Amino acid sequence: MNAKKEMGGGTPKKRILFYLDSLFMGGAEKIGIDYLNLLNEIGQYDIFLIINENNGERGNVLIDRIPKNIKYQFIIKEKTMEKLNYYKEKRKKNSFYKIMYTFYRKKKRFERRNIKKILENETYDILIDFQSLLPFESLSNKVIDWQHLPLGKIKNREKFKEFLKKIGKRIVLNEDMKKEIEEVASELVEDKVKVIPNFFDIDYLKKLSTDYSKLTEKEKELIKERYFFACCRIDRQKDLDTLIESYKILKEQYNIKEKLYIAGIGDEKERLESLVKSYNLEKEIVFLGLQLNPYVWMKNAKFFVHSSHYEGLPTVVIEGLITNGMVISSDCPTGPREILEDGKVGILFPVGDRNGLVKGILKVLNNEDLVEKYREEAKKRIEDFSKERMKKEIIELLDEI
């Protein structure tokens, strides 16, 4: 296959391989598909999408958002993922399920190695590794690597420097993430690291926020209630314990009328549901599960709340600004403070601070004028994340490779 095809005027198109982990409704996956659509709209590139996991009809939530003219290929088989997820849920019941879970984890890792064969058989000008998935030996100066989370403590600085030297560019989402790399490899930052915040199709998200078609009859009743809303992967990182504990305080000490709805799936869902039940709050704290359109829930909520221990640039916080306008977020590394402009655009509370979150929620529930002020600021802030603003930066980035 040729690396370049002719455009209408005779200018050759750059061939891009775009590598994603899955088509789940995760923050990085959603933004990845948005970038795929943006590149397709620009019209200067011949694009081939590679996806790690085939999670079947139920799990490939974002598959309908892949542009029709873009071909794609899965690496890990649907059956492997189906078995892995099945045994993952059952593995605590007995040793057989645990053994089978371990087997399919190894099988997944084995199948993932097929990326090397795909790259050997494909000719390309640019490889966008959108979730840092590539094995070290497959890296080259054609690779643009996207970093979505803080680095944390780097154990092997020399190996990290070798990684940076080998790739074309590393994209980080904010200045804090760039500073992390400067502390490890300051001599490489200017040449290798570029800050590009996530962008959003604002009109599309606003349209989805008024679309009730994906809701069941029961959900259509739930959405009429007074509630505030959280949407995330349900795992330790998102610190939903603090959110649930804060709601318990609000209910017991302040007798608030609003419910708490939590959308998402993850390893912690069963434990957190048990916690809620132990507090006798299962009628007030509702787990909505995976929502194909979480934005309609965002729009109809009193406000959007985010409680993470850490992030990169939390997509969902910006989506909350776009669809609702009132956001309360933990001041976690990295992203929320930058997005909310030090508290000018939304309320920040210290990570894990139940009382700080309670105080922020009471502010919102008891002061309509304050909420309106935040929503006016949000209208201005979201323009910084618009698709039109980012299009020029992406074209310049790809021209450098």
PDB file of all heavy atoms in Angstrom, residues 208-234:
ATOM      1  N   LEU A 208     -26.591  16.670  21.726  1.00  0.00           N
ATOM      2  CA  LEU A 208     -26.802  15.426  22.467  1.00  0.00           C
ATOM      3  C   LEU A 208     -27.454  15.683  23.817  1.00  0.00           C
ATOM      4  O   LEU A 208     -28.230  14.848  24.307  1.00  0.00           O
ATOM      5  CB  LEU A 208     -25.467  14.715  22.682  1.00  0.00           C
ATOM      6  CG  LEU A 208     -24.843  14.004  21.482  1.00  0.00           C
ATOM      7  CD1 LEU A 208     -23.507  13.395  21.875  1.00  0.00           C
ATOM      8  CD2 LEU A 208     -25.769  12.915  20.944  1.00  0.00           C
ATOM      9  N   SER A 209     -27.171  16.827  24.428  1.00  0.00           N
ATOM     10  CA  SER A 209     -27.695  17.114  25.764  1.00  0.00           C
ATOM     11  C   SER A 209     -29.200  17.347  25.775  1.00  0.00           C
ATOM     12  O   SER A 209     -29.820  17.397  26.838  1.00  0.00           O
ATOM     13  CB  SER A 209     -26.979  18.327  26.361  1.00  0.00           C
ATOM     14  OG  SER A 209     -27.389  19.529  25.746  1.00  0.00           O
ATOM     15  N   THR A 210     -29.798  17.456  24.597  1.00  0.00           N
ATOM     16  CA  THR A 210     -31.259  17.611  24.501  1.00  0.00           C
ATOM     17  C   THR A 210     -31.927  16.377  23.887  1.00  0.00           C
ATOM     18  O   THR A 210     -33.121  16.393  23.591  1.00  0.00           O
ATOM     19  CB  THR A 210     -31.617  18.843  23.651  1.00  0.00           C
ATOM     20  OG1 THR A 210     -31.100  18.680  22.325  1.00  0.00           O
ATOM     21  CG2 THR A 210     -31.050  20.108  24.266  1.00  0.00           C
ATOM     22  N   ASP A 211     -31.139  15.310  23.706  1.00  0.00           N
ATOM     23  CA  ASP A 211     -31.626  14.092  23.056  1.00  0.00           C
ATOM     24  C   ASP A 211     -31.983  13.039  24.114  1.00  0.00           C
ATOM     25  O   ASP A 211     -31.104  12.488  24.777  1.00  0.00           O
ATOM     26  CB  ASP A 211     -30.547  13.552  22.109  1.00  0.00           C
ATOM     27  CG  ASP A 211     -30.970  12.285  21.380  1.00  0.00           C
ATOM     28  OD1 ASP A 211     -32.130  11.852  21.555  1.00  0.00           O
ATOM     29  OD2 ASP A 211     -30.140  11.724  20.651  1.00  0.00           O
ATOM     30  N   TYR A 212     -33.262  12.736  24.247  1.00  0.00           N
ATOM     31  CA  TYR A 212     -33.752  11.777  25.249  1.00  0.00           C
ATOM     32  C   TYR A 212     -33.967  10.381  24.659  1.00  0.00           C
ATOM     33  O   TYR A 212     -34.445   9.491  25.349  1.00  0.00           O
ATOM     34  CB  TYR A 212     -35.078  12.273  25.833  1.00  0.00           C
ATOM     35  CG  TYR A 212     -34.971  13.517  26.683  1.00  0.00           C
ATOM     36  CD1 TYR A 212     -34.792  14.768  26.103  1.00  0.00           C
ATOM     37  CD2 TYR A 212     -35.030  13.438  28.075  1.00  0.00           C
ATOM     38  CE1 TYR A 212     -34.696  15.919  26.874  1.00  0.00           C
ATOM     39  CE2 TYR A 212     -34.931  14.572  28.857  1.00  0.00           C
ATOM     40  CZ  TYR A 212     -34.766  15.811  28.253  1.00  0.00           C
ATOM     41  OH  TYR A 212     -34.655  16.936  29.027  1.00  0.00           O
ATOM     42  N   SER A 213     -33.594  10.186  23.406  1.00  0.00           N
ATOM     43  CA  SER A 213     -33.969   8.957  22.701  1.00  0.00           C
ATOM     44  C   SER A 213     -33.312   7.697  23.262  1.00  0.00           C
ATOM     45  O   SER A 213     -33.829   6.596  23.079  1.00  0.00           O
ATOM     46  CB  SER A 213     -33.649   9.089  21.203  1.00  0.00           C
ATOM     47  OG  SER A 213     -32.245   9.222  21.006  1.00  0.00           O
ATOM     48  N   LYS A 214     -32.152   7.839  23.923  1.00  0.00           N
ATOM     49  CA  LYS A 214     -31.451   6.664  24.453  1.00  0.00           C
ATOM     50  C   LYS A 214     -31.951   6.255  25.842  1.00  0.00           C
ATOM     51  O   LYS A 214     -31.515   5.247  26.393  1.00  0.00           O
ATOM     52  CB  LYS A 214     -29.945   6.935  24.515  1.00  0.00           C
ATOM     53  CG  LYS A 214     -29.275   7.185  23.166  1.00  0.00           C
ATOM     54  CD  LYS A 214     -29.137   5.915  22.362  1.00  0.00           C
ATOM     55  CE  LYS A 214     -28.205   6.078  21.160  1.00  0.00           C
ATOM     56  NZ  LYS A 214     -28.619   7.098  20.203  1.00  0.00           N
ATOM     57  N   LEU A 215     -32.851   7.033  26.424  1.00  0.00           N
ATOM     58  CA  LEU A 215     -33.325   6.764  27.779  1.00  0.00           C
ATOM     59  C   LEU A 215     -34.446   5.727  27.787  1.00  0.00           C
ATOM     60  O   LEU A 215     -35.305   5.721  26.915  1.00  0.00           O
ATOM     61  CB  LEU A 215     -33.833   8.050  28.441  1.00  0.00           C
ATOM     62  CG  LEU A 215     -32.837   9.202  28.598  1.00  0.00           C
ATOM     63  CD1 LEU A 215     -33.514  10.386  29.261  1.00  0.00           C
ATOM     64  CD2 LEU A 215     -31.618   8.770  29.402  1.00  0.00           C
ATOM     65  N   THR A 216     -34.424   4.863  28.797  1.00  0.00           N
ATOM     66  CA  THR A 216     -35.538   3.939  29.007  1.00  0.00           C
ATOM     67  C   THR A 216     -36.687   4.711  29.645  1.00  0.00           C
ATOM     68  O   THR A 216     -36.530   5.857  30.080  1.00  0.00           O
ATOM     69  CB  THR A 216     -35.122   2.788  29.934  1.00  0.00           C
ATOM     70  OG1 THR A 216     -34.819   3.338  31.236  1.00  0.00           O
ATOM     71  CG2 THR A 216     -33.891   2.051  29.397  1.00  0.00           C
ATOM     72  N   GLU A 217     -37.853   4.075  29.744  1.00  0.00           N
ATOM     73  CA  GLU A 217     -38.999   4.737  30.375  1.00  0.00           C
ATOM     74  C   GLU A 217     -38.704   5.069  31.839  1.00  0.00           C
ATOM     75  O   GLU A 217     -39.080   6.139  32.331  1.00  0.00           O
ATOM     76  CB  GLU A 217     -40.246   3.854  30.267  1.00  0.00           C
ATOM     77  CG  GLU A 217     -40.778   3.715  28.843  1.00  0.00           C
ATOM     78  CD  GLU A 217     -41.057   5.060  28.185  1.00  0.00           C
ATOM     79  OE1 GLU A 217     -41.707   5.919  28.849  1.00  0.00           O
ATOM     80  OE2 GLU A 217     -40.634   5.273  27.044  1.00  0.00           O
ATOM     81  N   LYS A 218     -38.019   4.157  32.511  1.00  0.00           N
ATOM     82  CA  LYS A 218     -37.661   4.400  33.909  1.00  0.00           C
ATOM     83  C   LYS A 218     -36.705   5.586  34.023  1.00  0.00           C
ATOM     84  O   LYS A 218     -36.838   6.437  34.919  1.00  0.00           O
ATOM     85  CB  LYS A 218     -37.018   3.150  34.508  1.00  0.00           C
ATOM     86  CG  LYS A 218     -36.656   3.309  35.979  1.00  0.00           C
ATOM     87  CD  LYS A 218     -36.011   2.040  36.532  1.00  0.00           C
ATOM     88  CE  LYS A 218     -35.604   2.235  37.995  1.00  0.00           C
ATOM     89  NZ  LYS A 218     -34.962   1.034  38.552  1.00  0.00           N
ATOM     90  N   GLU A 219     -35.732   5.662  33.102  1.00  0.00           N
ATOM     91  CA  GLU A 219     -34.772   6.758  33.127  1.00  0.00           C
ATOM     92  C   GLU A 219     -35.433   8.091  32.820  1.00  0.00           C
ATOM     93  O   GLU A 219     -35.037   9.138  33.359  1.00  0.00           O
ATOM     94  CB  GLU A 219     -33.638   6.477  32.140  1.00  0.00           C
ATOM     95  CG  GLU A 219     -32.698   5.365  32.607  1.00  0.00           C
ATOM     96  CD  GLU A 219     -31.720   4.916  31.552  1.00  0.00           C
ATOM     97  OE1 GLU A 219     -31.950   5.209  30.355  1.00  0.00           O
ATOM     98  OE2 GLU A 219     -30.731   4.250  31.910  1.00  0.00           O
ATOM     99  N   LYS A 220     -36.443   8.077  31.980  1.00  0.00           N
ATOM    100  CA  LYS A 220     -37.165   9.318  31.674  1.00  0.00           C
ATOM    101  C   LYS A 220     -37.881   9.865  32.905  1.00  0.00           C
ATOM    102  O   LYS A 220     -38.087  11.080  33.023  1.00  0.00           O
ATOM    103  CB  LYS A 220     -38.163   9.074  30.537  1.00  0.00           C
ATOM    104  CG  LYS A 220     -37.501   8.930  29.176  1.00  0.00           C
ATOM    105  CD  LYS A 220     -38.499   8.588  28.078  1.00  0.00           C
ATOM    106  CE  LYS A 220     -37.788   8.400  26.735  1.00  0.00           C
ATOM    107  NZ  LYS A 220     -38.715   7.996  25.657  1.00  0.00           N
ATOM    108  N   GLU A 221     -38.250   8.982  33.812  1.00  0.00           N
ATOM    109  CA  GLU A 221     -38.834   9.425  35.073  1.00  0.00           C
ATOM    110  C   GLU A 221     -37.742   9.921  36.023  1.00  0.00           C
ATOM    111  O   GLU A 221     -37.906  10.947  36.690  1.00  0.00           O
ATOM    112  CB  GLU A 221     -39.617   8.282  35.721  1.00  0.00           C
ATOM    113  CG  GLU A 221     -40.882   7.889  34.976  1.00  0.00           C
ATOM    114  CD  GLU A 221     -41.847   9.061  34.803  1.00  0.00           C
ATOM    115  OE1 GLU A 221     -42.093   9.780  35.804  1.00  0.00           O
ATOM    116  OE2 GLU A 221     -42.335   9.276  33.665  1.00  0.00           O
ATOM    117  N   LEU A 222     -36.617   9.188  36.067  1.00  0.00           N
ATOM    118  CA  LEU A 222     -35.522   9.580  36.956  1.00  0.00           C
ATOM    119  C   LEU A 222     -34.977  10.967  36.618  1.00  0.00           C
ATOM    120  O   LEU A 222     -34.637  11.751  37.506  1.00  0.00           O
ATOM    121  CB  LEU A 222     -34.380   8.561  36.859  1.00  0.00           C
ATOM    122  CG  LEU A 222     -34.545   7.227  37.579  1.00  0.00           C
ATOM    123  CD1 LEU A 222     -33.375   6.302  37.252  1.00  0.00           C
ATOM    124  CD2 LEU A 222     -34.638   7.429  39.084  1.00  0.00           C
ATOM    125  N   ILE A 223     -34.903  11.270  35.329  1.00  0.00           N
ATOM    126  CA  ILE A 223     -34.279  12.525  34.906  1.00  0.00           C
ATOM    127  C   ILE A 223     -35.135  13.749  35.256  1.00  0.00           C
ATOM    128  O   ILE A 223     -34.647  14.884  35.243  1.00  0.00           O
ATOM    129  CB  ILE A 223     -33.950  12.476  33.387  1.00  0.00           C
ATOM    130  CG1 ILE A 223     -32.763  13.385  33.066  1.00  0.00           C
ATOM    131  CG2 ILE A 223     -35.166  12.837  32.533  1.00  0.00           C
ATOM    132  CD1 ILE A 223     -32.181  13.187  31.693  1.00  0.00           C
ATOM    133  N   LYS A 224     -36.391  13.523  35.598  1.00  0.00           N
ATOM    134  CA  LYS A 224     -37.278  14.619  36.020  1.00  0.00           C
ATOM    135  C   LYS A 224     -37.017  15.035  37.472  1.00  0.00           C
ATOM    136  O   LYS A 224     -37.470  16.087  37.904  1.00  0.00           O
ATOM    137  CB  LYS A 224     -38.736  14.195  35.866  1.00  0.00           C
ATOM    138  CG  LYS A 224     -39.178  13.967  34.430  1.00  0.00           C
ATOM    139  CD  LYS A 224     -40.607  13.457  34.401  1.00  0.00           C
ATOM    140  CE  LYS A 224     -41.050  13.101  32.983  1.00  0.00           C
ATOM    141  NZ  LYS A 224     -42.425  12.517  32.985  1.00  0.00           N
ATOM    142  N   GLU A 225     -36.314  14.180  38.223  1.00  0.00           N
ATOM    143  CA  GLU A 225     -36.050  14.457  39.637  1.00  0.00           C
ATOM    144  C   GLU A 225     -35.032  15.586  39.790  1.00  0.00           C
ATOM    145  O   GLU A 225     -34.337  15.968  38.846  1.00  0.00           O
ATOM    146  CB  GLU A 225     -35.499  13.198  40.314  1.00  0.00           C
ATOM    147  CG  GLU A 225     -36.411  11.992  40.244  1.00  0.00           C
ATOM    148  CD  GLU A 225     -37.373  11.929  41.399  1.00  0.00           C
ATOM    149  OE1 GLU A 225     -37.321  12.814  42.287  1.00  0.00           O
ATOM    150  OE2 GLU A 225     -38.199  10.994  41.423  1.00  0.00           O
ATOM    151  N   ARG A 226     -34.898  16.090  41.019  1.00  0.00           N
ATOM    152  CA  ARG A 226     -33.837  17.044  41.355  1.00  0.00           C
ATOM    153  C   ARG A 226     -32.601  16.228  41.735  1.00  0.00           C
ATOM    154  O   ARG A 226     -32.649  15.410  42.652  1.00  0.00           O
ATOM    155  CB  ARG A 226     -34.274  17.926  42.522  1.00  0.00           C
ATOM    156  CG  ARG A 226     -35.397  18.883  42.160  1.00  0.00           C
ATOM    157  CD  ARG A 226     -36.049  19.469  43.390  1.00  0.00           C
ATOM    158  NE  ARG A 226     -35.106  20.156  44.284  1.00  0.00           N
ATOM    159  CZ  ARG A 226     -35.462  20.717  45.443  1.00  0.00           C
ATOM    160  NH1 ARG A 226     -36.724  20.642  45.867  1.00  0.00           N
ATOM    161  NH2 ARG A 226     -34.564  21.324  46.201  1.00  0.00           N
ATOM    162  N   TYR A 227     -31.502  16.457  41.045  1.00  0.00           N
ATOM    163  CA  TYR A 227     -30.314  15.646  41.291  1.00  0.00           C
ATOM    164  C   TYR A 227     -29.053  16.392  40.873  1.00  0.00           C
ATOM    165  O   TYR A 227     -29.111  17.353  40.112  1.00  0.00           O
ATOM    166  CB  TYR A 227     -30.392  14.318  40.530  1.00  0.00           C
ATOM    167  CG  TYR A 227     -30.334  14.460  39.015  1.00  0.00           C
ATOM    168  CD1 TYR A 227     -29.125  14.388  38.328  1.00  0.00           C
ATOM    169  CD2 TYR A 227     -31.491  14.693  38.259  1.00  0.00           C
ATOM    170  CE1 TYR A 227     -29.066  14.531  36.949  1.00  0.00           C
ATOM    171  CE2 TYR A 227     -31.441  14.835  36.888  1.00  0.00           C
ATOM    172  CZ  TYR A 227     -30.232  14.753  36.235  1.00  0.00           C
ATOM    173  OH  TYR A 227     -30.175  14.906  34.868  1.00  0.00           O
ATOM    174  N   PHE A 228     -27.914  15.960  41.403  1.00  0.00           N
ATOM    175  CA  PHE A 228     -26.640  16.337  40.807  1.00  0.00           C
ATOM    176  C   PHE A 228     -25.969  15.075  40.294  1.00  0.00           C
ATOM    177  O   PHE A 228     -26.343  13.966  40.654  1.00  0.00           O
ATOM    178  CB  PHE A 228     -25.753  17.169  41.734  1.00  0.00           C
ATOM    179  CG  PHE A 228     -25.560  16.652  43.127  1.00  0.00           C
ATOM    180  CD1 PHE A 228     -24.435  15.938  43.468  1.00  0.00           C
ATOM    181  CD2 PHE A 228     -26.492  16.925  44.125  1.00  0.00           C
ATOM    182  CE1 PHE A 228     -24.220  15.497  44.758  1.00  0.00           C
ATOM    183  CE2 PHE A 228     -26.291  16.480  45.428  1.00  0.00           C
ATOM    184  CZ  PHE A 228     -25.156  15.759  45.747  1.00  0.00           C
ATOM    185  N   PHE A 229     -24.960  15.253  39.438  1.00  0.00           N
ATOM    186  CA  PHE A 229     -24.552  14.168  38.548  1.00  0.00           C
ATOM    187  C   PHE A 229     -23.049  14.000  38.493  1.00  0.00           C
ATOM    188  O   PHE A 229     -22.290  14.969  38.410  1.00  0.00           O
ATOM    189  CB  PHE A 229     -25.083  14.482  37.141  1.00  0.00           C
ATOM    190  CG  PHE A 229     -24.800  13.430  36.104  1.00  0.00           C
ATOM    191  CD1 PHE A 229     -25.284  12.145  36.224  1.00  0.00           C
ATOM    192  CD2 PHE A 229     -24.049  13.747  34.978  1.00  0.00           C
ATOM    193  CE1 PHE A 229     -25.021  11.177  35.256  1.00  0.00           C
ATOM    194  CE2 PHE A 229     -23.787  12.800  34.002  1.00  0.00           C
ATOM    195  CZ  PHE A 229     -24.277  11.507  34.147  1.00  0.00           C
ATOM    196  N   ALA A 230     -22.620  12.738  38.539  1.00  0.00           N
ATOM    197  CA  ALA A 230     -21.220  12.374  38.307  1.00  0.00           C
ATOM    198  C   ALA A 230     -21.176  11.331  37.207  1.00  0.00           C
ATOM    199  O   ALA A 230     -22.057  10.474  37.121  1.00  0.00           O
ATOM    200  CB  ALA A 230     -20.588  11.822  39.582  1.00  0.00           C
ATOM    201  N   CYS A 231     -20.167  11.394  36.373  1.00  0.00           N
ATOM    202  CA  CYS A 231     -20.024  10.440  35.267  1.00  0.00           C
ATOM    203  C   CYS A 231     -18.543  10.109  35.119  1.00  0.00           C
ATOM    204  O   CYS A 231     -17.726  10.995  34.865  1.00  0.00           O
ATOM    205  CB  CYS A 231     -20.567  11.055  33.984  1.00  0.00           C
ATOM    206  SG  CYS A 231     -20.404   9.992  32.537  1.00  0.00           S
ATOM    207  N   CYS A 232     -18.205   8.839  35.294  1.00  0.00           N
ATOM    208  CA  CYS A 232     -16.797   8.460  35.249  1.00  0.00           C
ATOM    209  C   CYS A 232     -16.672   6.942  35.213  1.00  0.00           C
ATOM    210  O   CYS A 232     -17.650   6.218  35.395  1.00  0.00           O
ATOM    211  CB  CYS A 232     -16.048   8.992  36.480  1.00  0.00           C
ATOM    212  SG  CYS A 232     -16.723   8.398  38.053  1.00  0.00           S
ATOM    213  N   ARG A 233     -15.466   6.482  34.984  1.00  0.00           N
ATOM    214  CA  ARG A 233     -15.141   5.075  35.176  1.00  0.00           C
ATOM    215  C   ARG A 233     -15.157   4.817  36.679  1.00  0.00           C
ATOM    216  O   ARG A 233     -14.563   5.577  37.450  1.00  0.00           O
ATOM    217  CB  ARG A 233     -13.766   4.776  34.589  1.00  0.00           C
ATOM    218  CG  ARG A 233     -13.376   3.321  34.537  1.00  0.00           C
ATOM    219  CD  ARG A 233     -12.023   3.146  33.874  1.00  0.00           C
ATOM    220  NE  ARG A 233     -10.959   3.832  34.603  1.00  0.00           N
ATOM    221  CZ  ARG A 233     -10.396   4.969  34.229  1.00  0.00           C
ATOM    222  NH1 ARG A 233     -10.780   5.566  33.110  1.00  0.00           N
ATOM    223  NH2 ARG A 233      -9.437   5.531  34.941  1.00  0.00           N
ATOM    224  N   ILE A 234     -15.829   3.780  37.114  1.00  0.00           N
ATOM    225  CA  ILE A 234     -15.998   3.566  38.554  1.00  0.00           C
ATOM    226  C   ILE A 234     -14.833   2.733  39.085  1.00  0.00           C
ATOM    227  O   ILE A 234     -14.887   1.505  39.155  1.00  0.00           O
ATOM    228  CB  ILE A 234     -17.371   2.919  38.851  1.00  0.00           C
ATOM    229  CG1 ILE A 234     -18.487   3.821  38.308  1.00  0.00           C
ATOM    230  CG2 ILE A 234     -17.550   2.699  40.356  1.00  0.00           C
ATOM    231  CD1 ILE A 234     -19.884   3.313  38.548  1.00  0.00           C
TER     232      ILE A 234
END
